[in-house]
Each structure stands twice: as structure tokens, then as C-alpha cells.
Amino acid sequence: METVAVVLEQPGKLALRTVALQEPKADDLVVDAVWSGISSGTERLLWAGRMPSFPGMGYPLVPGYETVARVTHPAEGFAEGDLVFVPGANCYKDVRGLFGGAAKRIVLQASRAVKLDGIGGEEGILIALAATAHHAVAHALPQLVIGHGLLGRLIARITLALGGDAPAVIETNAARHDGAAGYAVVTPEQDTRRDYATICDASGAAGLLDQIIPKLRKQGEITLAGFYEEPLSFTFPPAFMREARIRIAAEFTMADMQAVKSLVSTGRLSLKGLISHHASAATAAEAYEQAFTDPHCIKMALDWSALA
């Protein structure tokens, strides 16, 4: 079996080429991609060659962990034609699968696929990041969100969907101040509040803690929801005076995924208006570069329908 896949040959060099697939096992699904998303966080680090070492790291590799696909070879619990979310795969013979979802045909364990009941088409690529946002805020709904990229927008929307008050959102890039839905986006200078109980950082900027900690009240908590490529540090006395707590939110769980699906299907959470750009998978190299360099690109969706 073969498939067409996006392959990062080395940092800064990306190509669309044919790769060999492993044969499916009895409990595997074979799916054909319809849409896949480009992550401007972890995939950008892979593209730039700045990704911290992970198991399975190395080039060449197939990126991608946000794929919507249709089942072509079903397994137990799935039928042919089911629309599913694919959180990546490691199904290639001659390239690494980190994260492995940016391919036309994918083989994966059926237990890793998620049926997209009630979530149609391209919006399904947002489920993983929405689940990541849910994982970050379910412990404590934030009163302040740092960053209005895609993760920050999802955190703000999910906070509202879970019954929280509208959070303030701070964004330094004027190009990303639009798109607010039920909450306000301000600059750091416009936010003068210093008594937040809960703050969620979605910026991924390692040097912000000294700016965030003074905004906390006594025993306030900061949740780090971004992915930080550089070491984090902060000045101790302001944190000491507030007895500040710092929590790290890691990857989503299947429970987060199901919770997001429920919020969407009941109408409490909308995923509309979050995908800003579209491109054919045939132009993947150009699409990836735009996703990583254009501040107006909140989310790039690749359309695989034209590829055999």
C-alpha cells in the first residue's frame, strides 16, 4: 500500500510525495483524508528545526495530528463511510510518523479514531485543539486569557460554554484582535486589573511570567496551556508575595474530546469562524509556510479531495 503524504525532509524543506504504508492489522482502520489542519505551534517548531526531542523525532517525517477522514476499511465499531477524526498515525514504512496525520490514506488503530457525530467537514480538524483547550480550563475557568491565536480563542469560547464569565483576553498583535465572540480583546496596556484568581496563558511565549504574575490576586493560579520551546523563569519576590500557583496543562484526554463533542452537539460551543485559510493539499509547501509566517492565518485547512 502507498499514499501521498506531506513529508518534512529536513527543517525548512517540505514536499508532497508518495510513501509506503504498513499493512493494516485486524483492529486497524484504513481512512482517506478529507481535511487536515496545520498546527502553527508544534508543527512550526518541527519545520523550523526547533522542536525539543520527543520519542520518534527525526527526519524525514510526516507531520499532522488534526485530520478529518472517511473510513474505507472498517473495524469493529466503525462502518465504511464514517467521518472520523484522526489524531495522527505511525503507519509508514520509510518515513517517521510524528505526528503522521498529513496524508491522503492513513492506517491507524480503531481505538484512536473518534467519530465526528454532529461535527461536519472542515470544522472537525479543530477537535484536538478544542480538547486541549478544555483540558486546560476544566480544572479552573480562567478570568484572563493571554493570547488570541486559535488556542486562546478556543479557551475563551469553552470558558463561556462551561458557564464561566466572559474572560478578558490580552493580545499584543493588532492583526489578531478581531474574531472575539462574547468577550473582549485588549492590549496589555489596556488591562490594568491586578486581582485575577485564574489566568491561562495560551501564547507559548516563555518570557511572559514576570508580566502575568503581578496580575494575580493572593493564591491566584496561572495555567500554562501553550507549548514552550525555551526555558521558563520568573522573578521570585512578586510570586512569593502572592503565593502564586503555576500549573501545566498537558495533552488532552479522550474525556476532553468527548466533552467537546457534547458541547458542540448541544450548541453550547461553536467552532465556526476559526478556520481562516484554505488550500489544496497539492500546494502543501506554500500552505505550510503561510500558516507559519502570516499573522492573519489563524488556522490553515488542507483539502485532500483532489488527490487520489
Side-chain angles (χ1 to χ4, degrees), residues 7-11 46 51-63 94-99:
V7 179
L8 269 170
E9 306 282 3
Q10 61 188 40
L46 288 169
M51 186 72 171
S53 180
F54 268 79
M57 263 294 292
Y59 300 89
L61 61 86
V62 178
D94 49 358
V95 293
R96 296 173 183 264
L98 186 77
F99 297 86

Side-chain angles (χ1 to χ4, degrees), residues 5 17 79 155 180 213 277 295 303:
R17 65 177 176 89
I155 286 171
I213 287 171
H277 290 67
D303 181 358

Side-chain angles (χ1 to χ4, degrees), residues 78-104:
F78 295 86
E80 186 174 347
D82 279 349
L83 194 67
V84 297
F85 176 79
V86 177
N90 188 16
C91 58
Y92 310 101
K93 290 184 178 180
D94 49 358
V95 293
R96 296 173 183 264
L98 186 77
F99 297 86
K104 175 61 178 179

Side-chain angles (χ1 to χ4, degrees), residues 25-110:
K25 301 181 179 64
D27 58 349
D28 284 344
L29 291 175
V30 180
V31 302
D32 280 355
V34 182
W35 293 96
S36 66
I38 299 175
S39 165
S40 58
T42 50
E43 287 186 85
R44 178 179 56 83
L45 296 178
L46 288 169
W47 183 75
R50 301 201 309 270
M51 186 72 171
S53 180
F54 268 79
M57 263 294 292
Y59 300 89
L61 61 86
V62 178
Y65 53 90
E66 303 170 315
T67 301
V68 173
R70 289 207 178 273
V71 174
T72 59
H73 178 84
E76 184 177 354
F78 295 86
E80 186 174 347
D82 279 349
L83 194 67
V84 297
F85 176 79
V86 177
N90 188 16
C91 58
Y92 310 101
K93 290 184 178 180
D94 49 358
V95 293
R96 296 173 183 264
L98 186 77
F99 297 86
K104 175 61 178 179
R105 177 155 290 181
I106 301 166
V107 180
L108 76 158
Q109 288 183 321

